[in-house]
Amino acid sequence: MTLSTTSTTPRQFAAIVLEEEHAAHNYHPLPVVVASGDGAWVTDVDGRRYLDCLAAYSAVNFGHSNPVLLDAARAQLGRITLTSRAFHNDQLGPFVTELATLAGKDMVLPMNTGAEAVESGIKVARAWGYRVKGVAPDAANIIVMAGNFHGRTTTIISFSDDEDARADFGPFTPGFRTVPYGDAAAIEAAIDENTVAVLIEPIQGESGIVVPPADFLPAVREITSRRNVLFIADEIQSGLGRTGATFACDLVGVVPDLYLLGKALGGGIIPVSAVVGNSDILGVIQPGQHGSTFGGNPLAAAVGLAVVRILATGEMQERARVLGERLRADLAELIGHGVVAVRGAGLWAGIDIDPELASGRAVCEALMERGVLAKDTHGSTIRLAPPIVVEAADLDWAVEQLRAVLTELAG
Ligand SMILES: *Cc1c(COP(=O)(O)O)cnc(C)c1O
């Protein structure tokens, strides 16, 4: 095993060796071993502190060890954690009611991981297609976007165009059509009588925080409504405060038919995901047709309810909006100094590093040495998505560290 930094301590090394030897190598983590976290900061096994600018891919939007969320979890841990949906539990009703209200819908299908929410959305859309729209048996198709990321199951990777995500995992699930992201006319052209849904990330996260043209999502809404096709917004990463709004769709005044939610819905404590829509669509699923042993469990519902109540005040959304403007203004000043482009919305920035200067990975390793944790995506892009509770001064400091790293690399 090789470590890419000189500063790895014996304690870190010991932890990394165990992981490398006995955990499957499906990730390539930075060589930092985190032991605890508080707010936007994490501490490693040697007591060094880092500003977490990834926030577990936005699953930790409300901060590590958020006291309100921890209280909700602890209280529920002492009562009951799992009943299965064979019985009712006293947490699920309030959770789904308040989540539906937050989303302006009337029904919630609770699951656990994001990929399960996507899979559930696909099943709901197909069932709606056959039972409501009248699509011929097994003929349904769903339109997806080039450059998408919706998770890692065999069906979901079937419509990915990332070769690493697909290679040697076939055969793939049919029934998907890919069109260029941001191209509403291509969606319209791809729709036929068997199209049941268009599945879109309102902002593509894993692709590098790619924001589509402002008229794209409104055009998709118009087309899908007119052609009787469901508009499914995968807001698993973009939703729940990250972009300065409850949903990224809100930024352009669009209401999809189904929201897919996950990541931050579990408050960074437990996987909680959901499909949220109206009963004329979600109501097609009847008992026995879909399920999950853990979906809607009382611990998940209690934490999810606490998350929804945080979002219901709008404070996190406003904080992400204000801090995000500051972050992106600061980052814009780095353009031409090792940065080629900056994209984003709210407290979510994709930064294209000049590939001549360094890879995204090299920048992230240098940032780590300076106490900032960030993650590269697609070669030369790094993303910044700190917990929304981050202090403005800490955010400024992180950008200063990036500036220093770029200056060093330009050396
Ligand atoms: C992370 C993510 C998923 C998958 O979520 P998991 O919880 O990792 O299964 C799906 N869609 C988007 C947009 C994501 O960012």
Side-chain angles (χ1 to χ4, degrees):
M1 180 190 60
T2 54
L3 289 174
S4 49
T5 74
T6 49
S7 64
T8 305
T9 64
R11 215 187 283 244
Q12 304 239 15
F13 191 80
I16 293 171
V17 165
L18 289 180
E19 225 184 88
E20 290 281 316
E21 284 183 0
H22 300 293
H25 294 174
N26 56 330
Y27 281 88
H28 179 37
L30 288 173
V32 56
V33 183
V34 174
S36 63
D38 185 20
W41 291 85
V42 297
T43 303
D44 75 6
V45 285
D46 295 304
R48 290 182 296 199
R49 297 177 77 230
Y50 304 80
L51 188 66
D52 179 1
C53 287
L54 180 65
Y57 303 88
S58 292
V60 187
N61 276 359
F62 316 113
H64 295 281
S65 309
N66 181 296
V68 173
L69 298 177
L70 276 186
D71 278 352
R74 283 201 189 97
Q76 191 58 39
L77 275 172
R79 292 196 286 260
I80 190 163
T81 50
L82 188 60
T83 54
S84 88
R85 297 283 304 278
F87 315 122
H88 296 280
N89 73 69
D90 65 358
Q91 299 298 307
L92 182 57
F95 168 53
V96 293
T97 303
E98 295 189 30
L99 177 56
T101 301
L102 181 77
K105 302 288 188 186
D106 65 23
M107 197 171 262
V108 171
L109 172 58
M111 297 294 286
N112 310 284
T113 66
E116 287 176 311
V118 175
E119 290 275 351
S120 303
I122 291 168
K123 288 172 75 173
V124 167
R126 286 177 170 180
W128 173 86
Y130 300 125
R131 294 170 191 173
V132 178
K133 182 169 175 171
V135 170
D138 282 345
N141 69 70
I142 293 176
I143 297 170
V144 300
M145 302 300 114
N148 71 69
F149 180 86
H150 296 287
R152 299 295 196 167
T153 65
T154 41
T155 285
I156 293 171
I157 62 161
S158 295
F159 55 86
S160 167
D161 48 23
D162 175 352
E163 262 319 298
D164 287 340
R166 289 166 55 93
D168 297 328
F169 297 136
F172 299 114
T173 307
F176 301 95
R177 298 177 174 180
T178 305
V179 302
Y181 187 58
D183 187 344
I187 292 175
E188 174 105 59
I191 292 175
D192 66 15
E193 73 278 11
N194 296 327
T195 304
V196 296
V198 178
L199 172 61
I200 298 182
E201 294 160 85
I203 294 174
Q204 286 189 331
E206 295 311 295
S207 225
I209 327 297
V210 180
V211 183
D215 58 359
F216 174 58
L217 298 174
V220 173
R221 178 67 284 182
E222 188 279 320
I223 293 164
T224 49
S225 296
R226 177 162 46 77
R227 303 288 297 271
N228 194 25
V229 167
L230 300 181
F231 180 174
I232 308 178
D234 181 346
E235 295 252 19
I236 289 166
Q237 194 165 161
S238 60
L240 308 184
R242 175 54 58 191
T243 65
T246 305
F247 304 108
C249 284
D250 296 344
L251 299 174
V252 288
V254 160
V255 179
D257 297 300
L258 297 175
Y259 292 102
L260 308 180
L261 303 177
K263 292 201 165 102
L265 192 56
I269 296 175
I270 183 171
V272 185
S273 71
V275 182
V276 185
N278 281 336
S279 51
D280 55 342
I281 300 165
L282 273 176
V284 298
I285 299 291
Q286 294 299 311
Q289 297 173 352
H290 189 56
S292 163
T293 303
F294 285 90
N297 73 72
L299 179 59
V303 172
L305 177 61
V307 165
V308 169
R309 287 182 175 168
I310 285 177
L311 287 165
T313 71
E315 280 166 41
M316 284 290 170
Q317 295 90 320
E318 178 62 8
R319 188 177 174 89
R321 192 184 66 73
V322 171
L323 287 176
E325 273 175 18
R326 181 183 184 120
L327 172 66
R328 274 170 297 109
D330 288 351
L331 290 174
E333 288 177 20
L334 299 180
I335 294 176
H337 303 276
V339 168
V340 181
V342 176
R343 292 173 300 276
L347 197 50
W348 202 21
I351 305 159
D352 291 342
I353 304 295
D354 179 357
E356 305 273 290
L357 186 68
S359 66
R361 173 80 186 190
V363 172
C364 289
E365 287 176 357
L367 280 172
M368 184 196 80
E369 297 290 341
R370 290 174 166 274
V372 176
L373 297 184
K375 177 73 174 76
D376 55 300
T377 179
H378 291 270
S380 55
T381 300
I382 63 174
R383 94 183 90 194
L384 295 182
I388 299 166
V389 298
V390 67
E391 296 297 338
D394 292 343
L395 205 53
D396 295 349
W397 174 81
V399 177
E400 279 318 304
Q401 302 316 301
L402 176 58
R403 181 191 295 274
V405 163
L406 295 171
T407 306
E408 252 168 41
L409 288 168

